Amino acid sequence: GAVVSQHPSRVICKSGTSVKIECRSLDFQATTMFWYRQFPKQSLMLMATSNEGSKATYEQGVEKDKFLINHASLTLSTLTVTSAHPEDSSFYICSAMIQGVYNEQFFGPGTRLTVL
Amino acid sequence: GQQLNQSPQSMFIQEGEDVSMNCTSSSIFNTWLWYKQDPGEGPVLLIALYKAGELTSNGRLTAQFGITRKDSFLNISASIPSDVGIYFCAGDMSGYALNFGKGTSLLVTP
């Protein structure tokens, strides 16, 4: 159980276009999902916390108007990179949280975004 | 978020050797987690630690939650080629967002 999927796994786009990445919890519901970004040979850096039915909470330095997050259901959060530029090329990873005595995060397989 | 200091940055060992890596923080964490990430994949949880002083094993892996709550280590015994990957520690203060270390890249030669 506790499987998280992401779609697409890879995307290549032209500079200036927008790209949507989906994160789904397949066998559980998640009121909270997280979006991370990982540059080559770097660690995972939290971009934002996605809350079902409310606005996302963004980390300092992350532009909310550029990285649009929509958590419309308990099993789906989307990240849209608007007007993508080459510097947005990165590995985007989501996680979904199961709340309990100890909250657990389960990570998706990631989406490789390349902006030409 | 809080940056964790993870060491070593990389390790190159022979199959069968034991491995040890650790993470330290200037802040106290309520939870320490260890993940393994293969190239092009998301991180996979190896061990979760919830109490200061806790020592937990998962097969050949053993991890401990430091008594000061500011550090943790991960040991891998009798390494095998499939242990190759990047290992990340992560600390959790609030029960929500995770703070990740910079990772330890492990290479194992047969």
Side-chain angles (χ1 to χ4, degrees), chain A residues 38 43 97 99 102-103 105 108-109, chain B residues 37 42 50 95-98 100-101:
Chain A
Q38 185 179 33
S43 186
M97 187 169 71
Q99 292 178 287
Y102 302 112
N103 294 338
Q105 287 189 38
Chain B
Q37 186 180 29
Y50 300 109
Y96 283 87
L98 295 178
F100 281 85

Side-chain angles (χ1 to χ4, degrees), chain A residues 52-95:
Chain A
E52 188 268 337
S54 64
K55 292 182 179 180
T57 304
Y58 291 82
E59 294 300 298
Q60 191 173 6
V62 178
E63 300 176 55
K64 62 179 182 180
D65 294 329
K66 181 169 181 62
F67 298 98
L68 302 179
I69 291 173
N70 185 5
H71 195 152
S73 78
L74 289 172
T75 59
L76 173 64
S77 174
T78 60
L79 169 68
T80 301
V81 183
T82 63
S83 187
H85 292 282
E87 57 266 29
D88 297 323
S89 298
S90 188
F91 194 50
Y92 291 85
I93 306 173
C94 72
S95 71

